[in-house]
Amino acid sequence: MTPATSTVARALERIERLDPALHAFIEVWPDAALAREREAAARRLPLGGLPFAVKGPSGIRSYAARRLIAAGGVPVGATSVPGPGTAWQTWGRGAHGRTVNPWRADRTPGGSSAGAAVAVAAGMAEAATGGDGAGSVRIPAAWCGVFGLKTTNGLLPSPDRTGLASAGVLARTAAAAEPCLRRVLDGGGAPDEAPGLPLPAVYSEDLGFAEVDPEVAAVVRAAVDRLVAAGTVRLLDRDAGLLDPAGAWTAVRGGSPDDPEAVRVRRTNDERLDALLAGGALLLTPATPNRPHGHEGPGTRYSTALTWAFNLSGHPAASLPAGFTGDGCPVGLQVVAPRGADLGLLAAARAVEDALPPARTPPLAGRD
């Protein structure tokens, strides 16, 4: 392997060429990355020099990044997150300016793992670490047309004292994410056998409370119908109605987890989710109620409406590309699994993506 043809060198070349327009990175580490790649090859480490990006200025110190480096992954740079004073968390600011969506430059990529999703979607990294406290992995994964998984809360170390945030990984596909997620979760090992099909699942457009863009809902429903027709999913007749978690999430984030109303909402939703996911069933929803909004702000619809319930409950959840709205914006399908079933969720996500159209390359991602 020579630096001129190596995987890391190709990633660095794409960063140099594409990031001045996409603004996904706040720092890039070319010399250190090439040195790590040579070391990974010399030591025959399992990830073999796979180039990945880390979320934000402290991402290199995260548990997930350390596990990936130990297995031979190569961090190529730190990606953008929302800047100081940002009133909402769905865009980032890179070294060159405001992070843009690789599908439409006039739209946000989502956040707060904004640059991480853009780096993966544009092929500037093969994977990226993220953190998800309200949807911060799943929302940008959905809006950038890539795969993103939030792990079970408490399964991995997290600096978040509220317990809402957990580590996540983004990649172009669930199949591409698997080597990284396995290293982060259990140190590797042979892949699980493919899950028995059809997968039992419950579908909910709105979880009983959210206002969802009709076109977003239609794209996700079409994807679910395709999964049923392919024999990948078998829909169960279970009521997926939850209580709106907005107030409870805000109370916990604000340091009041014992607020009586927050306790009531969490207890009720936990009971309903236990019933929904009984027997290893999955829950399918849109990842977001809206499509990527403009850089001026999100308007009145919470992008987190369908994600933050699972930060409160702790369930692992992933977003997979489901299709596109008529204006060219990606839509995500959220898949939620029982607590602790992270590797089972990964296997289910692989089965789901096998039945859906293959990932596409964003128009702003350029060509090799």
Side-chain angles (χ1 to χ4, degrees), residues 203 220 223-224 227 284-287 318-322 331-335 352 356:
Y203 172 68
V220 175
V224 172
L227 295 174
L284 310 177
T285 78
S319 178
L320 294 86
V331 174
L333 166 66
Q334 181 173 226
V335 184
V352 166
L356 296 177

Side-chain angles (χ1 to χ4, degrees), residues 192-280:
D192 294 341
E193 293 185 8
L197 301 181
L199 301 165
V202 178
Y203 172 68
S204 176
E205 174 182 308
D206 58 9
L207 291 178
F209 59 82
E211 179 186 350
V212 180
D213 179 324
E215 192 174 359
V216 169
V219 170
V220 175
R221 181 73 224 201
V224 172
D225 289 345
R226 182 178 180 129
L227 295 174
V228 172
T232 303
V233 161
R234 172 175 58 90
L235 293 182
L236 304 176
D237 184 17
R238 296 178 182 175
D239 181 11
L242 301 182
L243 300 180
D244 188 342
W249 186 95
T250 302
V252 173
R253 175 58 76 191
S256 301
D258 297 326
D259 173 82
E261 179 62 11
V263 170
R264 183 187 74 85
V265 169
R266 296 185 78 175
R267 181 182 297 120
T268 300
N269 282 352
D270 283 350
E271 292 172 352
R272 293 180 182 179
L273 286 168
D274 286 346
L276 279 177
L277 303 177

Side-chain angles (χ1 to χ4, degrees), residues 298-321:
T300 58
R301 184 181 278 124
Y302 277 105
S303 306
T304 56
L306 296 168
T307 52
W308 52 8
F310 310 109
N311 297 90
L312 280 168
S313 69
H315 292 81
S319 178
L320 294 86

Side-chain angles (χ1 to χ4, degrees), residues 23 28-29 45 65 72 103 116 123 127 150 157 167 170 203 225 227 275 279 286 293 295 303 326 346 349:
H23 311 164
V28 183
W29 311 311
L45 295 173
W103 293 93
K150 174 197 88 69
L170 301 98
Y203 172 68
D225 289 345
L227 295 174
H293 54 72
H295 294 284
S303 306
L346 178 61

Side-chain angles (χ1 to χ4, degrees), residues 77-201:
T79 54
S80 64
V81 293
T86 304
W88 40 279
Q89 302 293 303
T90 49
W91 57 263
R93 181 167 294 279
H96 300 284
R98 185 171 55 195
T99 311
V100 305
N101 192 303
W103 293 93
R104 287 191 50 160
D106 63 336
R107 305 293 175 92
T108 173
S112 60
S113 304
V118 174
V120 167
M124 295 186 286
E126 294 193 17
T129 63
D132 190 313
S136 294
V137 164
R138 290 161 288 162
I139 293 169
W143 286 357
C144 291
V146 300
F147 172 80
L149 184 146
K150 174 197 88 69
T151 56
T152 297
N153 290 55
L155 183 64
L156 302 174
S158 170
D160 178 27
R161 296 181 179 179
T162 68
L164 293 171
S166 58
V169 171
L170 301 98
R172 286 289 300 277
T173 64
E178 181 167 352
C180 294
L181 277 166
R182 287 189 169 276
R183 293 293 158 185
V184 170
L185 290 170
D186 69 353
D192 294 341
E193 293 185 8
L197 301 181
L199 301 165

